[in-house]
């Protein structure tokens, strides 16, 4: 079932993002041992994304356990409509209403990091800009004509495309140099980039929760191999001592 959903998500992403922007993705280093980043990412997702998007293959309880969040605190600060801690993470918006408001039901985000990649998500969430011609008044450099509002705008501020005049081939031309905000957000640029990075960390974790244990186990396996190699090497020297 999970593989089937992944195939559908890939198909949806390919169709919806066929006209994806030509900008390069910005790189983000993912450290799934950074529990503070994962906890903050969970808070941001549940406060700003869960209103429309599901994570229907992840349970609250699993997130709380993996991210060292006590169930009581998780229920108080990360669950808002009376769900049980054992419930899957689902939006309260009926799918038919969401389809009516947005043109299509907002996609489930459980596997979005595996489909799109962390760099794509990090770039996408930082490249919204004002475009009054669009339904929600914004567009996106990474995903042109995206059909969703900029839900993190109160944190970032109002982002606008910035252009400068530069000499190119002996001629002054106006070129795009990035997106800048008007400074009316709750965060400055560095804080906003950090918040987006934390949200991406959480999406990467949810896409493959088992990685937390795999990475931890992998370190112990490597340490065991190193120790074993030392003993094998000493044993080899002992066996061959008389030969040499």
């Amino acid at each position: 079932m999970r593989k089937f959903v992944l195939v559908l998500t890939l198909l949806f992403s390919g169709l919806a993002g066929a006209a994806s922007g030509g900008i390069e993705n910005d790189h983000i280093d993912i450290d799934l041992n950074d529990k503070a980043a994962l906890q903050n990412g969970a808070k941001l997702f549940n406060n700003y994304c869960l209103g429309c998007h599901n994570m229907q293959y992840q349970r609250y309880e699993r997130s709380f356990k993996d991210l060292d969040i006590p169930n009581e605190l998780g229920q108080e600060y990360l669950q808002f409509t009376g769900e049980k801690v054992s419930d899957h993470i689902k939006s309260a918006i009926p799918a038919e209403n969401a389809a009516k408001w947005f043109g299509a039901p907002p996609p489930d985000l459980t596997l979005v990091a595996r489909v799109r990649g962390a760099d794509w998500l990090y770039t996408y969430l930082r490249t919204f800009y004002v475009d009054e011609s669009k339904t929600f008044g914004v567009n996106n450099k990474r995903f042109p004509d995206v059909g969703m509002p900029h839900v993190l705008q109160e944190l970032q501020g109002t982002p606008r495309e910035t252009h400068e005049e530069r000499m190119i081939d002996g001629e002054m031309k106006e070129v795009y140099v990035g997106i800048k905000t008007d400074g009316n957000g709750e965060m400055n640029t560095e804080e906003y980039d950090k918040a987006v990075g934390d949200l991406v960390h959480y999406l990467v974790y949810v896409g493959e929760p088992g990685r937390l244990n795999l990475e931890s186990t992998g370190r112990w396996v490597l340490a065991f191999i190193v120790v074993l190699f030392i003993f094998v090497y000493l044993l080899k020297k002992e066996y061959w001592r008389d030969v040499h």
Side-chain angles (χ1 to χ4, degrees):
M1 179 64 181
R2 191 178 177 95
K3 289 183 179 178
F4 176 68
V5 172
L6 178 58
V7 170
L8 287 181
T9 309
L10 281 166
L11 178 61
F12 172 83
S13 300
L15 293 173
S20 232
I23 65 171
E24 294 293 326
N25 288 330
D26 294 326
H27 178 66
I28 178 173
D29 293 316
I30 299 296
D31 178 10
L32 293 183
N33 292 305
D34 188 346
K35 291 294 177 69
L38 291 168
Q39 291 170 359
N40 189 46
K43 182 184 77 172
L44 289 167
F45 179 86
N46 284 28
N47 278 277
Y48 291 95
C49 306
L50 185 55
C52 298
H53 294 279
N54 290 324
M55 273 189 175
Q56 59 182 328
Y57 304 104
Q58 177 79 352
R59 296 182 188 274
Y60 287 101
E61 190 173 30
R62 177 64 188 268
S63 288
F64 296 166
K65 179 181 177 181
D66 286 347
L67 307 188
D68 297 334
I69 301 172
N71 284 348
E72 299 76 18
L73 291 179
Q75 288 180 299
E76 183 177 355
Y77 295 106
L78 298 178
Q79 294 183 261
F80 310 117
T81 54
E83 310 95 327
K84 300 178 196 171
V85 73
S86 59
D87 285 346
H88 288 94
I89 303 175
K90 292 186 178 180
S91 169
I93 297 180
E96 57 272 16
N97 289 355
K100 202 179 298 181
W101 298 334
F102 299 106
D108 184 277
L109 297 185
T110 315
L111 303 175
V112 67
R114 295 178 65 179
V115 174
R116 292 293 195 178
D119 292 352
W120 191 97
L121 289 171
Y122 183 61
T123 306
Y124 167 70
L125 291 169
R126 294 164 50 253
T127 54
F128 279 91
Y129 63 93
V130 171
D131 184 346
E132 301 296 346
S133 69
K134 302 302 177 185
T135 303
F136 296 104
V138 293
N139 208 332
N140 189 277
K141 299 297 289 186
R142 177 68 279 181
F143 193 160
D145 302 322
V146 63
M148 66 170 280
H150 181 22
V151 295
L152 300 177
Q153 185 166 318
E154 70 175 55
L155 302 180
Q156 184 185 23
T158 305
R160 299 183 186 278
E161 285 187 295
T162 303
H163 297 81
E164 291 180 358
E165 285 195 344
R166 292 183 179 177
M167 185 69 71
I168 300 177
D169 298 329
E171 188 178 340
M172 290 298 293
K173 294 183 179 179
E174 196 172 76
V175 297
Y176 168 76
V177 294
I179 293 172
K180 295 183 180 179
T181 70
D182 56 7
N184 65 356
E186 295 177 12
M187 300 177 175
N188 59 36
T189 301
E190 292 74 21
E191 291 170 338
Y192 180 73
D193 288 349
K194 173 66 167 58
V196 168
D198 291 349
L199 178 54
V200 173
H201 269 72
Y202 181 64
L203 293 172
V204 170
Y205 149 72
V206 170
E208 196 172 358
R211 278 182 59 182
L212 290 181
N213 294 328
L214 289 175
E215 291 186 6
S216 176
T217 303
R219 291 188 185 89
W220 285 106
V221 171
L222 290 175
F224 172 78
I225 291 174
V226 170
V227 172
L228 179 64
F229 174 80
I230 294 172
F231 281 105
V232 170
Y233 177 74
L234 293 175
L235 184 62
K236 174 259 182 188
K237 289 195 69 174
E238 181 66 24
Y239 275 135
W240 288 88
R241 183 173 55 182
D242 295 335
V243 176
H244 295 295

